[in-house]
Structure formats: C-alpha cells, structure tokens
C-alpha cells in the first residue's frame, strides 16, 4: 500500500467516474483501476462496486475512504512541517468561513501572522453544513461557524464572539435612530432582502420568526452579506448579524432587534487529531486568546 493508491481512491470518490479521476491524477484509466484493484487485494476487501461504470463504493470502501482522507491530510501536514526551519511555523492553513463571519477571520489570521510571519492561510467562504463536511473530508483545517452545532467527540471549538441581530436599513429610514425594533415589526419595515435559505444564519432567523408566527419573504436573496449592501442602500431592509455593518459600507444604518433578544456563539471548530501540525496548534493558540469580545462597539 502507498499514498498514491489512497490518492487515486479519494479522487475516484470525488469524481465518481474512472476516466475523469484518472485525468485528475495524470495517469491512464487502466493504471488508476489497476492500483485500486491492487489496494483491494492487499486489504482483502472489495472497495468499488463492480460494473461497466462507477456505481459507488462498497460499505468497506466507504470506511477505507475515511482513513484514506485522514492519511493524505496527515502526509500533507508532514510535508508542511518539515518545510520549516528550527521552531518557526511554516505551511498553509485552510479555513472555511460562514458569510457572516468573514470579518472575524481577518482578525484571527492577522493575529496568526503577527506571531508566525511565515504562516500562510487560505479562506474559503462556505455554508455551515459545507464547513462540517469539509472538516470530515480533511479538505479544510478549521472552520469559523456556529459552535453550538459542533460535536464534542469529534471537534474542539473556541468561541470568538456572540452574534446578535439587528434590522439594517438605508440611511434616513423612518426607523433610523430607534432604540430597538421588535422582530415581528421588523419584517414590515419595508421591502426585504436576506441571505440564501440554505445558509445557517438565515435558517436561525427564519426559526425565530416562525416561533413568533411570522414568515420572512425576501424579494432578493444573496450568498454573502456584502452582496446585499447595494440593495439596502437603495431602499431595502434586512435582518442580519449585528456586525454586518463592518462589510455593508456607508449609507446603511441599523437598530437592535428585541422580543426576543437572540444571539449565537460564533467560533473556530477543528477536528481533533492525535498529532496536530504546528501551524494548526498555532492557529488554536490564537483562537484561545479571545476571552473578550472580538469586536468593540464605538
């Protein structure tokens, strides 16, 4: 068994097509099929459902796939580890981020860079569910999302801040300057825009409103908070996380939402590992420092 066989298996599971998987691995289709067959012989189990086309993995194959992804991730971490010198932290960390937390990510990565200038980071904008799937598949090293949904057996999490909600509106809106607005009244503040229904943040907003017997029916929906800014400045309203103001720009104002007051913990979630790469440890140490709010009101 070697790492290349495992890479072929992971690619085949992703592409679900022998020819495409072979092309992605820069080998011929018979080579890829032969190496996976060799892996089956070595392990003594069938991995791929046999047929003229790819029909999926056997139950044993699905279990082997989980191990293959972990082994590949550990090998990549090993390469990053030995690329450095002395005690310096080198390598790249991949972080999945929900749309409402993109600003929080900047603060965290800047802290990492301050302590470890040679560290590199790649940020992937994802939904909450996509983050947890990517963590399972070892496609990302950490996720910034809602910590209440993390599995304590699989994950360790670090709270970064509490996310509250506000009604956002264009400047000079009739509610500008109000001390607060009730959730039920907020949906009638004007034509509404909102985040896409598949995003966890939107699901929690919808859940709160349904509890009150109210439905949110946005005329326009978007996958990111900045994409809604232009519509809000043009006259629309939106129920969004309170720190959305940091990415919506000028011309947008907001007031707190009450009755009920809703908040959720946003933090960094990581898969528990017996051996943790140095750069992941460094990122966790940065996250641990947030015992005070990540953002401060002016």
């Amino acid at each position: 068994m070697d790492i290349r066989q495992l890479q072929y298996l992971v690619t085949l599971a992703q592409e679900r097509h022998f020819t495409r998987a072979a092309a992605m691995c820069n080998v011929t289709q018979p080579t890829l099929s032969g190496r996976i067959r060799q892996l089956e012989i070595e392990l003594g189990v069938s991995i791929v459902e046999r047929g003229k086309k790819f029909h999926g993995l056997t139950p044993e194959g699905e279990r082997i796939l989980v191990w293959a992804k972990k082994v590949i991730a550990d090998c990549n971490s090993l390469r990053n580890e030995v690329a450095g010198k002395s005690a310096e932290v080198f390598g790249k960390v991949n972080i999945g981020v929900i749309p409402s937390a993109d600003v929080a990510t900047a603060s965290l990565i800047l802290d990492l860079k301050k302590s470890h200038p040679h560290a590199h980071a790649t940020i992937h904008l994802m939904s909450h569910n996509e983050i947890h799937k990517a963590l399972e598949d070892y496609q990302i090293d950490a996720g910034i999302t809602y910590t209440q949904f993390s599995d304590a057996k699989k994950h360790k999490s670090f709270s970064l801040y509490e996310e509250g909600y506000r009604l956002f509106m264009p400047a000079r809106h009739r509610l500008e300057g109000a001390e607060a607005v009730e959730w039920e009244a907020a949906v009638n503040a004007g034509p509404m825009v909102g985040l896409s229904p598949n995003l966890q943040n939107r699901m929690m907003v919808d859940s709160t409103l349904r509890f009150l017997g109210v439905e949110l029916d946005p005329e326009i929906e978007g996958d990111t908070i900045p994409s809604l800014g232009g519509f809000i400045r043009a006259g629309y309203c939106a129920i969004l996380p309170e720190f959305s103001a940091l990415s919506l720009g000028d011309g947008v104002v907001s007031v707190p939402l009450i009755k009920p007051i809703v908040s959720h913990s946003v933090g960094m979630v990581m898969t528990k590992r017996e051996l943790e790469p140095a750069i992941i440890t460094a990122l966790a140490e940065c996250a641990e420092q947030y015992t005070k709010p990540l953002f401060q009101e002016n």
Side-chain angles (χ1 to χ4, degrees), residues 75-192:
C75 285
N76 290 336
S77 297
L78 173 61
R79 292 190 184 97
N80 287 335
E81 198 88 351
V82 300
K85 300 176 182 178
S86 65
E88 274 290 350
V89 173
F90 285 71
K92 179 187 291 185
V93 62
N94 289 283
I95 306 176
V97 183
I98 56 173
S100 63
D102 54 352
V103 177
T105 309
S107 298
L108 185 62
I109 298 305
L110 288 173
D111 284 344
L112 177 67
K113 292 291 292 179
K114 188 182 299 182
S115 303
H116 306 285
H118 297 291
H120 290 249
T122 301
I123 298 168
H124 308 272
L125 204 62
M126 297 177 165
S127 70
H128 171 82
N129 290 336
E130 288 171 340
I131 286 174
H132 278 269
K133 180 65 166 64
L135 283 171
E136 287 183 9
D137 291 343
Y138 294 93
Q139 294 175 345
I140 59 175
D141 302 298
I144 296 182
T145 185
Y146 300 102
T147 57
Q148 69 197 71
F149 302 107
S150 63
D151 185 340
K153 294 181 180 179
K154 295 180 180 179
H155 307 129
K156 56 181 178 180
S157 60
F158 308 87
S159 182
L160 297 177
Y161 64 95
E162 287 294 315
E163 178 182 87
Y165 293 86
R166 298 174 74 95
L167 173 66
F168 287 82
M169 64 200 84
R172 295 180 294 280
H173 187 278
R174 60 182 174 83
L175 292 175
E176 182 178 0
E179 185 174 333
V181 175
E182 296 183 13
W183 280 77
E184 285 188 71
V187 296
N188 297 314
M192 301 294 290

Side-chain angles (χ1 to χ4, degrees), residues 48 51 54 81-82 208 218 231 256:
V48 179
F54 180 79
E81 198 88 351
V82 300
T208 300
F231 298 105

